[in-house]
Amino acid sequence: MGTIFPYLAAPTHPARAAGRGRIVRMTGSTVVCAGLTTLDVAHLVDGVPPANRKVASHDFFVAAGGPATNAAVAAARLGGSARLVTALPSHPLSDLVAADLAGCGVDLVVADASPTGPPLTAAIMVTRATGERAVVSPTGAAVTVPGTPAGLDPAALLDDAGAVLIDGYHRHLSLPLAHAARERGIPVVLDAGSHKQYTAALLAVTDVAVVSDDFAFPEAGSDPYATLARLLELGARAAVISRGGDPLLVTTGGPVREVPVAPVDVVDTLGAGDVLHGALAHRLASRGYDAARLPEDLAWASRVVAVSLRSFGTRAWLAEPLPS
């Protein structure tokens, strides 16, 4: 019972037209992910305990986490290469994060080593009966922006990139990469977990914005169609809302389409959205972005997510067979 860095054998693989329709120029097949890296400590429990109570967990794991990080792990598992650009302090726990990512086949680039203390650490409880998770994490520290590191070279980091994924954290790293990707015709996927004051700046350099159904613009409320319209208005070429087990909502400016997701008996929802983003980025890196093909690409990515939902934690699924 219990696993620290449970998957250390993932293979490492070498691996814009005008308007919203297609991005046809690619320079490689690597997925470059820029954003948050945490150290995740998760427990499988019967229920989240009330105040002043202790509960025994049925299982636990420790691994690198964060939206961009889990997306990079997914992309590496899917047969392409993945590069993670992030901020990490010099600390023994950061060495553990690096070891986990190396075992998953992810090329880790610490572009900002200025944070102090241990890496941001997430405490997670997954409810065994439902797979729902409760997360406590000091991610606000990754929203604060220091100056862009003087040594950051977006061109070098994108040399073999076929797609870029940004998650809205550490934007002093992700925005320069996204701008450089846009200039080179490399599609940019935005994982917008929540609205932030600078979301508009991220959308201005985004090709495919993927948000969850609890994402909301202050001015748009909870109406998903208003959210989709606003995502496009602020610059995205395509907008997607994920809704758990309900169909994805997708639009590139025309009618909103529903893309059914694969049914699955859920064990753990932790990281499911990250896997969706990583799988989609891998698909775009492999085949390029085509608006007409986006529903097909999302349907395939949802089948990858279904594999991840069947096991506890963010690493056990990497050993499972994947959809064709």
Side-chain angles (χ1 to χ4, degrees), residues 4-318:
I4 298 177
F5 303 147
Y7 191 77
L8 295 177
T12 302
H13 301 273
R16 158 167 0 233
R20 299 190 188 276
R22 300 180 68 200
I23 298 175
V24 297
R25 180 179 178 272
M26 295 189 300
T27 58
S29 61
T30 295
V31 175
V32 178
C33 300
L36 181 65
T37 300
T38 62
L39 180 66
D40 286 358
V41 182
H43 289 269
L44 183 66
V45 297
D46 288 327
V48 177
N52 299 317
R53 290 285 301 276
K54 297 179 181 179
V55 297
S57 64
H58 297 279
D59 201 354
F60 77 94
F61 78 92
V62 180
T69 299
N70 285 329
V73 169
R77 173 63 184 92
L78 292 169
S81 58
R83 179 173 304 121
L84 174 64
V85 181
T86 190
L88 273 177
S90 177
H91 190 276
L93 291 178
S94 295
D95 296 339
L96 297 179
V97 168
D100 177 42
L101 293 174
C104 292
V106 174
D107 175 20
L108 173 63
V109 177
V110 179
D112 179 4
S114 67
T116 57
L120 300 178
T121 301
I124 304 160
M125 286 179 283
V126 177
T127 301
R128 186 163 66 160
T130 64
E132 296 173 319
R133 78 272 194 237
V135 181
V136 179
S137 179
T139 53
V143 172
T144 309
V145 177
T148 297
L152 186 70
D153 185 354
L157 292 170
L158 297 174
D159 183 56
D160 54 353
V164 168
L165 180 139
I166 58 177
D167 67 7
Y169 294 101
H170 297 314
R171 68 188 188 278
H172 64 307
L173 307 177
S174 60
L175 274 174
L177 282 171
H179 279 287
R182 177 61 66 89
E183 292 172 359
R184 289 162 174 77
I186 300 169
V188 177
V189 177
L190 170 63
D191 169 4
S194 61
H195 180 267
K196 299 176 178 63
Q197 291 183 340
Y198 52 84
T199 294
L202 300 172
L203 287 167
V205 289
T206 292
D207 296 296
V208 184
V210 184
V211 306
S212 64
D213 57 356
D214 57 0
F215 176 97
F217 290 99
E219 67 274 19
S222 59
D223 179 6
Y225 296 95
T227 296
L228 290 169
R230 186 66 172 147
L231 290 169
L232 296 179
E233 181 183 343
L234 290 174
R237 289 188 165 105
V240 181
I241 296 179
S242 63
R243 303 186 297 164
D246 293 328
L248 299 156
L249 300 179
V250 186
T251 182
T252 56
V256 176
R257 295 186 56 178
E258 290 191 352
V259 176
V261 300
V264 62
D265 292 328
V266 175
V267 172
D268 184 0
T269 60
L270 181 65
D274 308 338
V275 173
L276 177 71
H277 304 132
L280 177 61
H282 166 75
R283 191 79 160 184
L284 299 185
S286 302
R287 310 202 313 168
Y289 169 72
D290 186 333
R293 199 170 55 205
L294 183 59
E296 175 190 333
D297 291 336
L298 286 164
W300 178 84
S302 84
R303 294 196 293 274
V304 177
V305 174
V307 176
S308 76
L309 290 169
R310 296 187 189 118
S311 58
F312 170 61
T314 55
R315 296 293 184 268
W317 74 274
L318 300 175

